[in-house]
Amino acid sequence: MNRTLIKGLNSKIGETVKLQGWVHRLRKLGKIAFLILREHSGLVQCVVNTREVDIKGLRLESVVEITGTVVKNDENVEILAENIRLISEVKEELPFEINKKDIEVNLDTILNHRVLSLRHQSLNSIFKIQACLTQGFIEFLKVEGFTQIFTPKIVSEGAEGGTELFELKYFEKKAYLAQSPQFYKQMMVGAGYERVFETAHVYRAEKHNTNRHLNEYVSLDLEMGFIEDEKDIMMLETRLLKSMLHKLKNECADELNILGAKLPEIGEEITSIPLPEAIKILNNKYGKELDIDIDPEGEKLIYEHVKKEYGSEFVFLTHYPMEKRPMYTMPADDGLTHSFDLIFRGLEITTGGQRIHNFDMLKKSIESKGLNSEKFRDYLEVFKYGMPPHGGLAIGLERLTAQIIGLGNVREAALFPRDRDRITP
């Protein structure tokens, strides 16, 4: 007899089926026991006559095989168990209970026992939502004519020219873990693909230890050629996010309900504010003194302002100063740039903008940052042979997931977080 999944039981009323999964809950009432079986497609109650079926030795989270008849019970189905076979026993006491509504331990304990914690319905739902978001990103861009690429994560130089790099020994050479696929995205635009994207891990050696930072995270990257300016990228991201959220609403309704997550609404356009104007708003309205950049508190405050004034949970901040942007960023007037961040519910989830496509301008920009352009000659080469105007963006998947669900710490949206202190499990 083949295994039947719980989600398919409604079509098996009156039939004998074989189920396999974990003992989620077990309640004994004299000669009758009620066993809740759990597997990836759902939960089902199994009614056990203990005079006929031996349940001795069964503990919560034991892996079992149950054979029985499917019966209708009001609006639900349940199993009248005829046989229970113990497949894999539980050897030790569980470090926490996972069949309650909430796991009542701190985040470190959860992450120390990450695999076990993911058996909990709420935590399990986080990563089904995350998978759906990623699939939505891929599907939308393929329809838009983008080609998926896979770029190296071992590199000879950082994509942003900074010091926040993880150095590693690469045979007799020095190498680094990639901060971003930025150079390769641009090179592939110049190779004639025009529109490319990647979903992959990136690495930042920042020594932060906050609830918004990870040292390894998944970046949803795209780059596209033949644009006018950064507004083309912003309009694309608006449509992209609407499509991803639509997919989430259609395919993850159960998971969103389990987590009590409320999806944001996106109109025809997302509100856009130049950064200098946003800084003035923060100074005048909130008494927050900022100079040329915005800090995490400022992101939260400008979100509150936009939510109140425009009813939006998203806001594009544009025209960051050149000194705060990487060397490949296209300059604008007055020392500003054709770049943007997207703030969602008070947290930056996207950085993007137009890139420099002129060889001489790019070489000069690299050197203006105090960097040796010779070290970037492989990157620069394609710019000698005709590069279209182009731009792109990167979305932090864990941050996006956390903000949609309403998680307080980005580590909760990472399967196996890597931060300042954690490299296990």
Side-chain angles (χ1 to χ4, degrees):
M1 187 185 300
N2 294 327
R3 180 191 184 196
T4 299
L5 293 180
I6 291 170
K7 69 178 180 180
L9 290 176
N10 277 310
S11 64
K12 303 282 187 179
I13 305 297
E15 297 181 27
T16 299
V17 297
K18 180 175 74 177
L19 304 174
Q20 294 172 327
W22 286 264
V23 177
H24 183 69
R25 191 172 292 120
L26 184 60
R27 184 163 54 103
K28 301 174 185 176
L29 296 174
K31 296 174 183 177
I32 297 293
F34 297 94
L35 185 157
I36 305 296
L37 186 74
R38 184 190 73 245
E39 40 97 325
H40 77 278
S41 73
L43 303 167
V44 67
Q45 177 170 277
C46 303
V47 182
V48 185
N49 184 336
T50 58
R51 291 175 297 183
E52 299 175 1
V53 180
D54 185 13
I55 62 169
K56 290 177 183 176
L58 286 190
R59 300 169 66 181
L60 295 183
E61 296 306 302
S62 297
V63 177
V64 297
E65 177 181 286
I66 298 177
T67 304
T69 304
V70 184
V71 298
K72 192 80 171 174
N73 182 4
D74 295 328
E75 296 301 314
N76 302 312
V77 297
E78 60 184 23
I79 305 297
L80 299 181
E82 298 164 7
N83 183 65
I84 299 178
R85 181 171 70 89
L86 179 62
I87 296 175
S88 181
E89 64 180 324
V90 172
K91 293 286 189 180
E92 297 179 1
E93 288 295 322
L94 301 177
F96 43 76
E97 294 185 63
I98 65 168
N99 60 4
K100 290 185 173 182
K101 183 179 178 182
D102 300 306
I103 295 183
E104 297 172 350
V105 292
N106 62 38
L107 182 56
D108 275 340
T109 302
I110 288 172
L111 296 178
N112 289 340
H113 302 277
R114 188 41 145 169
V115 177
L116 181 63
S117 78
L118 293 173
R119 295 184 186 179
H120 188 273
Q121 197 174 33
S122 292
L123 274 62
N124 190 280
S125 296
I126 292 170
F127 298 99
K128 290 179 179 176
I129 286 171
Q130 192 171 85
C132 186
L133 285 169
T134 308
Q135 194 62 35
F137 177 81
I138 293 169
E139 290 172 0
F140 174 86
L141 292 177
K142 284 187 173 180
V143 170
E144 292 287 320
F146 284 73
T147 300
Q148 187 169 13
I149 60 173
F150 305 93
T151 65
K153 299 301 165 238
I154 299 174
V155 297
S156 62
E157 293 289 339
E160 299 185 7
T163 58
E164 295 163 350
L165 294 164
F166 285 111
E167 183 180 320
L168 56 89
K169 187 176 184 297
Y170 190 71
F171 301 105
E172 292 78 29
K173 299 178 181 178
K174 184 188 295 184
Y176 305 92
L177 293 177
Q179 293 170 300
S180 161
Q182 184 59 43
F183 289 174
Y184 295 102
K185 288 193 301 177
Q186 292 180 264
M187 291 157 76
M188 295 302 282
V189 168
Y193 289 89
E194 295 188 22
R195 295 182 167 206
V196 296
F197 73 91
E198 181 172 38
T199 62
H201 284 94
V202 295
Y203 303 87
R204 301 293 176 104
E206 298 168 329
K207 293 185 178 179
H208 299 303
N209 198 0
T210 74
N211 62 6
R212 55 187 272 146
H213 288 98
L214 292 168
N215 295 104
E216 176 187 60
Y217 65 92
V218 178
S219 186
L220 306 180
D221 274 90
L222 67 86
E223 203 79 14
M224 61 186 289
F226 297 100
I227 66 169
E228 291 294 325
D229 54 30
E230 77 281 6
K231 295 185 187 69
D232 288 344
I233 307 298
M234 292 158 62
M235 287 189 290
L236 178 79
E237 181 170 24
T238 301
R239 293 193 296 114
L240 168 64
L241 289 171
K242 288 172 74 170
S243 178
M244 290 168 69
L245 291 171
H246 181 72
K247 182 178 177 68
L248 205 55
K249 181 179 180 180
N250 287 342
E251 298 184 15
C252 287
D254 290 343
E255 288 79 10
L256 292 166
N257 184 56
I258 287 167
L259 291 160
K262 187 176 184 298
L263 292 180
E265 299 286 339
I266 300 179
E268 287 301 309
E269 293 184 1
I270 292 175
T271 301
S272 174
I273 303 175
L275 182 64
E277 182 182 327
I279 287 174
K280 287 180 182 177
I281 291 170
L282 293 172
N283 286 339
N284 297 334
K285 187 172 181 178
Y286 298 99
K288 185 168 180 59
E289 296 184 6
L290 294 169
D291 186 12
I292 60 172
D293 203 358
I294 191 167
D295 61 7
E297 183 189 26
E299 290 178 359
K300 291 185 176 72
L301 292 174
I302 203 67
Y303 158 67
E304 288 180 14
H305 168 78
V306 170
K307 182 78 185 297
K308 183 177 180 181
E309 294 294 321
Y310 304 101
S312 174
E313 297 188 90
F314 294 88
V315 57
F316 282 118
L317 298 183
T318 66
H319 295 86
Y320 280 72
M322 191 68 204
E323 62 192 272
K324 292 295 182 179
R325 283 312 202 218
M327 67 280 200
Y328 49 76
T329 310
M330 178 65 79
D333 297 329
D334 301 323
L336 303 176
T337 61
H338 289 283
S339 67
F340 64 85
D341 280 358
L342 179 61
I343 311 300
F344 171 38
R345 292 177 176 167
L347 180 69
E348 174 243 306
I349 60 163
T350 303
T351 295
Q354 184 179 2
R355 325 301 191 189
I356 297 171
H357 60 275
N358 177 276
F359 171 80
D360 294 324
M361 182 187 292
L362 181 56
K363 185 171 181 285
K364 183 178 179 182
S365 181
I366 290 171
E367 292 171 351
S368 74
K369 295 283 187 177
L371 301 169
N372 181 357
S373 60
E374 267 301 299
K375 291 187 175 181
F376 299 92
R377 63 178 180 273
D378 292 332
Y379 164 60
L380 281 167
E381 183 182 20
V382 69
F383 292 84
K384 296 178 182 178
Y385 306 118
M387 175 69 87
H390 64 282
L393 58 79
I395 302 171
L397 178 61
E398 291 87 352
R399 284 192 179 187
L400 175 61
T401 306
Q403 292 303 93
I404 286 174
I405 296 170
L407 303 175
N409 193 313
V410 72
R411 291 165 182 78
E412 297 177 70
L415 267 177
F416 298 98
R418 296 294 179 258
D419 57 27
R420 183 74 174 84
D421 303 310
R422 182 176 291 278
I423 55 172
T424 60

